[in-house]
């Protein structure tokens, strides 16, 4: 196994779209949850918003954002993803960069307080996690100073918020580390290395903590919901590929572990439906921070006047 094969899900053309399983929450696919959120907040597609998406991948969620956008800035640190999304959205501006570096470039280019929507779907845990540890095919190298890592990750979230225009939103979807599916994923990665405090939910904790602090300082208001649902695999084979290709990213230590292979096979079997499909119990955290909405805006207008 080489570095090229490890993380092939994000580095090999077509692999992400082939392995990705659709996720349904209350019968609604994740992309449609975002479509509904956009309809609720802006009504019909208005082609008027300044929108950026971090970790855009091949543009699956961008499809929901694009009809609302006047200008789209799409960020991903994988060249393969950026090349796919550029073909799909030729009018968008693309940045092939780490989310933290892209945030700094956008701020340096005068884009502070200029985006109506700063979004990241199933992707923010990577740049936040990268402050704490570096993951390669050879292993995991934790940052020697975890307190500094936490401060830098916090500053990254604050900088993301600085991109949002008054009245705009930072909108993110994050995986639910406590779901049965993700608990199995955590158990697997602990074969490679332990996680910082709080297990694999630590990236979400960093994000929520930074947003709660911003709310306390009157920067805006946080709405955070968690939905239960499933990742739906059409077959046991697709479910196994999902675990080993997407969750375990073909990491050599995890591919070679026979106990892990047995645990995944048992989990898949337990969740196989009579029609042969596999409904993997999953969850999503939807995080919406509205900038400029002081908590006092929750007081009914009559009382505030
Ligand atoms: C799980 S995929 C989600 C893709 C897309 N948002 C979706 O919902 O289909 C995560 C994406 O984040 C990108 N990514 C990972 N680490 C990143 C980083 N540090 N900065 C920017 N993008 C990153 C990956 O290349 C990948 O496209």
């Amino acid at each position: 196994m080489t570095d090229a094969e490890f993380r092939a899900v994000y580095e090999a053309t077509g692999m992400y779209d082939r392995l990705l399983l659709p996720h349904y929450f209350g019968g609604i696919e994740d992309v449609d949850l975002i479509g509904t959120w956009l309809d609720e907040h802006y009504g019909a597609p208005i082609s008027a918003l300044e929108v950026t998406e971090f970790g855009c991948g091949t543009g699956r969620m961008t499809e929901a954002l694009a009809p609302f956008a006047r200008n789209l800035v799409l960020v991903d640190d994988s060249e393969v993803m950026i090349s796919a999304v550029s073909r799909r959205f030729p009018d968008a501006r693309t940045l092939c960069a780490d989310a933290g570096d892209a945030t700094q470039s956008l701020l340096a280019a005068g884009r502070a307080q200029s985006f109506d929507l700063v979004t990241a779907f199933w992707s923010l845990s990577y740049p936040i996690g990268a402050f704490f540890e570096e993951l390669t095919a050879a292993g995991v190298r934790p940052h020697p100073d975890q307190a500094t890592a936490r401060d830098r990750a916090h500053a990254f979230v604050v900088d993301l918020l600085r991109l949002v225009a008054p009245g705009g939103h930072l909108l993110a979807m994050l995986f639910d580390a406590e779901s049965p599916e993700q608990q199995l994923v955590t158990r697997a990665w602990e074969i490679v290395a332990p996680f910082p405090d709080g297990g694999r939910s630590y990236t979400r904790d960093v994000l929520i903590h930074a947003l709660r602090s911003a709310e306390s300082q009157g920067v805006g208001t946080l709405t955070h919901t968690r939905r239960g649902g499933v990742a739906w695999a059409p077959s046991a084979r697709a479910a196994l590929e999902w675990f080993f290709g997407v969750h375990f990213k073909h990491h050599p230590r995890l591919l070679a572990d026979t106990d892990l292979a047995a645990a995944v096979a048992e989990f898949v079997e337990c969740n196989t439906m009579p029609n042969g499909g596999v409904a993997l119990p999953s969850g999503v955290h939807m995080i919406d921070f509205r900038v400029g909405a002081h908590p006092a805006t929750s007081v009914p207008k009559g009382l505030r006047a």
Side-chain angles (χ1 to χ4, degrees):
M1 169 78 42
T2 63
D3 258 344
E5 287 163 286
F6 172 56
R7 289 190 93 253
V9 61
Y10 297 150
E11 307 297 348
T13 305
M15 175 95 72
Y16 178 71
D17 287 337
R18 186 176 73 73
L19 297 186
L20 184 72
L21 298 182
H23 284 63
Y24 298 98
F25 303 98
I28 304 172
E29 197 169 354
D30 60 350
V31 65
D32 295 327
L33 282 178
I34 296 305
T36 304
W37 186 94
L38 289 162
D39 287 343
E40 281 170 9
H41 283 79
Y42 303 106
I46 47 176
S47 306
L49 304 177
E50 292 293 321
V51 179
T52 184
E53 184 186 3
F54 290 91
C56 58
T58 55
R60 202 174 61 87
M61 307 295 269
T62 322
E63 287 289 353
L65 298 170
F68 290 82
R70 177 175 60 221
N71 289 303
L72 261 177
V73 178
L74 303 175
V75 178
D76 203 288
D77 73 347
S78 154
E79 280 175 20
V80 166
M81 296 296 188
I82 286 294
S83 143
V85 87
S86 304
R87 284 194 297 276
R88 196 160 167 184
F89 300 95
D91 295 335
R93 181 176 166 217
T94 53
L95 290 173
C96 186
D98 165 72
D101 296 339
T103 303
Q104 292 311 317
S105 316
L106 289 168
L107 289 171
R111 297 299 314 255
Q113 300 197 329
S114 72
F115 288 100
D116 302 296
L117 282 176
V118 173
T119 65
F121 306 109
W122 307 103
S123 63
L124 267 192
S125 52
Y126 297 109
I128 292 176
F131 289 107
F132 293 83
E133 60 192 17
E134 188 193 0
L135 176 63
T136 67
V140 174
R141 202 168 43 194
H143 190 287
D145 181 349
Q146 292 283 301
T148 300
R150 191 164 288 277
D151 290 346
R152 291 179 61 211
H154 184 102
F156 163 59
V157 179
V158 171
D159 283 343
L160 280 179
L161 278 184
R162 288 176 59 209
L163 292 172
V164 183
H169 296 256
L170 171 67
L171 183 65
M173 276 181 163
L174 252 73
F175 73 93
D176 177 19
E178 287 82 16
S179 71
E181 177 195 20
Q182 290 291 346
Q183 281 179 13
L184 181 50
V185 178
T186 300
R187 194 176 129 196
W189 281 108
E190 278 173 351
I191 296 168
V192 179
F195 289 98
D197 284 351
R200 279 176 68 248
S201 61
Y202 78 93
T203 50
R204 188 182 77 231
D205 295 341
V206 165
L207 178 63
I208 295 294
H209 179 262
L211 296 178
R212 292 286 299 258
S213 304
E215 185 183 86
S216 306
Q217 290 160 24
V219 176
T221 47
L222 170 65
T223 306
H224 174 191
T225 51
R226 185 261 177 202
R227 288 168 191 260
V230 293
W232 173 255
S235 65
R237 186 193 157 100
L240 292 172
E241 285 191 320
W242 167 249
F243 270 97
F244 285 92
V246 181
H247 284 321
F248 305 159
K249 300 186 175 47
H250 296 117
H251 194 282
R253 291 268 303 275
L254 304 188
L255 291 186
D257 194 295
T258 50
D259 289 344
L260 178 62
V264 173
E266 187 186 344
F267 186 73
V268 168
E269 194 182 329
C270 285
N271 290 294
T272 299
M273 303 285 110
N275 67 359
V278 187
L280 299 166
S282 182
V284 64
H285 287 264
M286 197 152 154
I287 292 159
D288 166 16
F289 191 94
R290 174 150 187 251
V291 168
H294 189 275
T297 52
S298 315
V299 178
K301 275 200 176 124
L303 291 178
R304 267 189 276 145

